[in-house]
Amino acid sequence: MAYDENQPVIVVSSDIYTKVYGTEFNVRSYGDEEVHVTLVQGRVSVKKTEGGSEYTLNPGENARFVESVPEITKVNVNRYIAWKDGYFYYENESMESIMDDLKRWYDFDVVYVGNRVKDYRFELWVSRDSEISVITDLLMKTNRVGIKVNGKTLVVSEVVR
């Protein structure tokens, strides 16, 4: 498909409209989460609902909608595009967010034991072809969490020192 600025492609996901003008970008949209639009290169604009105000992103920016106005921040785009190269990539990401991604990919449930464990933050770069045990072993090597497999459920707990 040839690029034509007069005929931009419009991607609609969860009532977020992303107008694309020949570029590399990512739209992250799961029914239970906020929509994220991340621009790698080129130009896109985003808006909430068809008649809303339009906001243009610059390369390296992510738009996360809070109400009808996006929160636009500078990000490491790898967090949003690593999946296309077959990787999970997390930088200062909460355990809960990491587990949400992993449970979609590996089809398991998660139970948290401890008040703070969901909020623990990690950095991780690992192949999506890895067994879940490889990923849980990496997380446990931090000596901050314990992870046990109970059937199709992962039990994530704080390591008490």
Side-chain angles (χ1 to χ4, degrees):
M1 183 162 126
Y3 164 69
D4 180 353
E5 185 160 334
N6 295 320
Q7 294 293 319
V9 173
I10 298 176
V11 177
V12 181
S13 182
S14 298
D15 78 350
I16 304 297
Y17 290 72
T18 303
K19 194 180 288 185
V20 181
Y21 302 93
T23 189
E24 183 180 353
F25 71 104
N26 186 67
V27 176
R28 179 181 168 99
S29 177
Y30 294 102
D32 57 341
E33 295 180 8
E34 300 167 324
V35 174
H36 287 261
V37 178
T38 309
L39 180 60
V40 178
Q41 63 181 3
R43 188 167 65 112
V44 299
S45 63
V46 294
K47 63 182 175 177
K48 176 94 170 179
T49 71
E50 196 161 351
S53 297
E54 220 169 277
Y55 301 86
T56 301
L57 297 183
N58 294 311
E61 289 183 335
N62 179 76
R64 177 179 70 93
F65 277 84
V66 180
E67 301 295 324
S68 60
V69 177
E71 176 183 281
I72 298 174
T73 56
K74 211 57 172 152
V75 296
N76 180 339
V77 296
N78 286 321
R79 167 65 180 102
Y80 299 94
I81 66 167
W83 65 268
K84 72 180 185 60
D85 294 323
Y87 292 95
F88 291 109
Y89 177 83
Y90 305 102
E91 185 178 283
N92 194 29
E93 198 71 37
S94 72
M95 174 60 82
E96 184 175 32
S97 179
I98 292 169
M99 286 293 136
D100 284 348
D101 277 355
L102 296 177
K103 71 183 183 184
R104 273 192 292 272
W105 187 254
Y106 292 99
D107 190 29
F108 60 78
D109 293 315
V110 179
V111 173
Y112 298 96
V113 178
N115 296 330
R116 302 178 320 207
V117 71
K118 286 182 177 183
D119 297 325
Y120 286 179
R121 303 193 88 69
F122 297 91
E123 293 185 12
L124 180 66
W125 177 276
V126 65
S127 171
R128 285 178 174 255
D129 293 334
S130 299
E131 297 290 328
I132 187 64
S133 61
V134 170
I135 299 171
T136 57
D137 287 349
L138 287 170
L139 290 167
M140 288 190 302
K141 282 183 181 180
T142 66
N143 293 319
R144 298 182 68 211
V145 296
I147 303 173
K148 293 186 177 162
V149 178
N150 185 1
K152 285 190 60 102
T153 302
L154 292 185
V155 179
V156 180
S157 59
E158 300 176 55
V159 170
V160 180
R161 297 176 206 187

